[in-house]
Amino acid sequence: MSNIEQTLSIIKPDAVERNLQDQIRSEFKNNNFEIIKEKKIHISKEEAEKFYKVHETKPFYNDLCEYLSSGPIVVMMLKKDNAVLENRKLMGSTNPKDADEGTLRKKYGISIDKNSVHGSDSVENAKVELDFFFKD
Ligand code: CMP
């Protein structure tokens, strides 16, 4: 039975800075994700704080928000069967050092902060995160 879902992907500042967005877009397409919407934006620190609110009690919250707002990002609405889990598998572990060979964070990530991509971690969060960037 099919279980078509949508999920949010963010190509983070470190990857956009290195001009990796075309390569990462191809990775999604090669893995049968449909890119429904996409835009390149530069968000403020306040917007980053709202986006990462679930992490507000974490010690890395401030740096994380500084970082996400430090340069342009590309946000994408992706669609696929089991898109949330499939994107998490394609991204690999949060820390590129722990990520499996072939995953996006292994291939492109620099550090746990500069890990090149973000992806929603659940179907519920995907809805909230997609609304955050794509609600018109
Ligand atoms: P992301 O999937 O965007 O979600 C939150 C981000 O916080 C995560 O990727 C990492 O880039 C960043 N981060 C920094 N330090 C940590 C940490 N110790 N544990 C988890 N995430 C971290």
Side-chain angles (χ1 to χ4, degrees), residues 4-46:
I4 298 294
E5 294 171 353
Q6 292 180 348
T7 191
L8 177 82
S9 172
I10 304 179
I11 304 179
K12 295 188 181 184
D14 65 275
V16 175
E17 193 175 68
R18 287 175 288 152
N19 247 311
L20 291 170
Q21 60 268 43
D22 290 347
Q23 242 166 293
I24 294 177
R25 194 182 299 107
S26 299
E27 301 256 12
F28 288 131
K29 289 188 175 162
N30 294 341
N31 283 278
N32 299 314
F33 285 91
E34 200 180 323
I35 300 167
I36 309 281
K37 291 183 186 177
E38 172 179 337
K39 60 183 177 184
K40 187 176 178 183
I41 50 176
H42 189 162
I43 61 170
S44 65
K45 187 168 178 210
E46 289 69 31

Side-chain angles (χ1 to χ4, degrees), residues 12 52 55 60 64 94 105 112-115 117-119:
K12 295 188 181 184
Y52 275 133
H55 294 301
F60 55 83
L64 176 61
T94 306
R105 284 167 170 165
I112 192 163
D113 301 299
K114 298 185 173 181
N115 62 357
V117 281
H118 166 85

